[in-house]
């Protein structure tokens, strides 16, 4: 059974292998791209997967569609279905043709395994995701993998190791100039704050990072992320 504390942190920090903005999907408009669906799936999983609107993913390639389905089912708590989709995908698809999508799949699988308390496999897949990203010199996913490791170690109460993983992510962020830099910074600050909050250490740092997060979310114009930061401060 998942610990109550883990569920509380999911609610406060909107946690997943990835941090996505809320984006509504209107099937009457042009069909959304894979990237748009990847952003939308966290907050619109039920709308996308479990209603007549499921046609909005029908135009995707099979490998992309199953990735969206895996995330959606995981976020809805349909863990067996997500497991089945991922197991099928890792057997069926040739990820050598799309290494970035392979990283995405690994991160979803690792997050699901963390939820299911399969800690050995979860951290193994997080390490694998980082290694593939490093080989590809993809800084964004190197950062994402390390932030996910930080959250894994928080969830397993290895707080010092979690902070070390976040420090590595922060080092990469210092020189990273990608368009997702702000969102990655937000996610890093939230993960670090969650460790400090759970260990009841560095209260001033929690406030400082939360204020930084609020400022960054205002730049993104993301109400959900801003609300999460306000929750940490008790606003």
């Amino acid at each position: 059974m998942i610990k109550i504390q883990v569920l509380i942190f999911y609610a406060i920090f909107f946690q997943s292998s990835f941090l996505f903005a809320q984006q509504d999907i209107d099937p009457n408009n042009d069909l959304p791209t894979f990237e748009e669906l990847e952003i939308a799936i966290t907050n619109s999983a039920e709308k996308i997967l479990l209603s007549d609107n499921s046609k909005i993913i029908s135009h995707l390639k099979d490998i992309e569609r199953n990735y969206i389905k895996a995330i959606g089912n995981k976020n809805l708590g349909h863990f067996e279905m997500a497991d089945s989709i991922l197991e099928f995908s890792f057997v069926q698809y040739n990820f050598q043709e799309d290494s970035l999508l392979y990283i995405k799949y690994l991160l979803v699988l690792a997050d699901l395994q963390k939820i299911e308390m399969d800690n050995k496999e979860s951290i193994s897949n997080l390490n694998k995701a980082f290694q593939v990203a490093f080989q590809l010199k993809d800084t964004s996913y190197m950062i994402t993998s390390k932030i996910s490791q930080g959250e894994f170690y928080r969830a397993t109460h290895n707080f010092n190791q979690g902070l070390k993983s976040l420090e590595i992510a922060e080092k990469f962020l210092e020189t990273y100039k990608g368009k997702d830099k702000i969102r990655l910074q937000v996610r890093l600050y939230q993960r670090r704050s969650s460790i400090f909050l759970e260990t009841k250490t560095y209260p001033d740092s929690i406030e400082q990072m939360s204020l930084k997060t609020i400022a960054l979310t205002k730049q993104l114009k993301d109400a959900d992320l801003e609300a999460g930061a306000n929750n940490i401060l008790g606003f």
Side-chain angles (χ1 to χ4, degrees), residues 95 109 160 199 202:
F95 286 101
L109 177 61
N160 287 335
T199 57
Y202 306 108

Side-chain angles (χ1 to χ4, degrees), residues 4 29 33 37 39 59 75-76 126 129 136 167 174 180 185 187 191 214 218:
I4 297 298
N29 294 334
T33 65
L37 284 164
I39 291 172
H59 64 292
N75 293 343
L76 290 169
L126 288 174
L136 295 175
E167 286 173 7
E174 288 176 359
D180 57 340
Q185 284 178 310
R187 190 176 174 208
R191 301 278 53 81
I214 292 171
K218 287 183 183 297

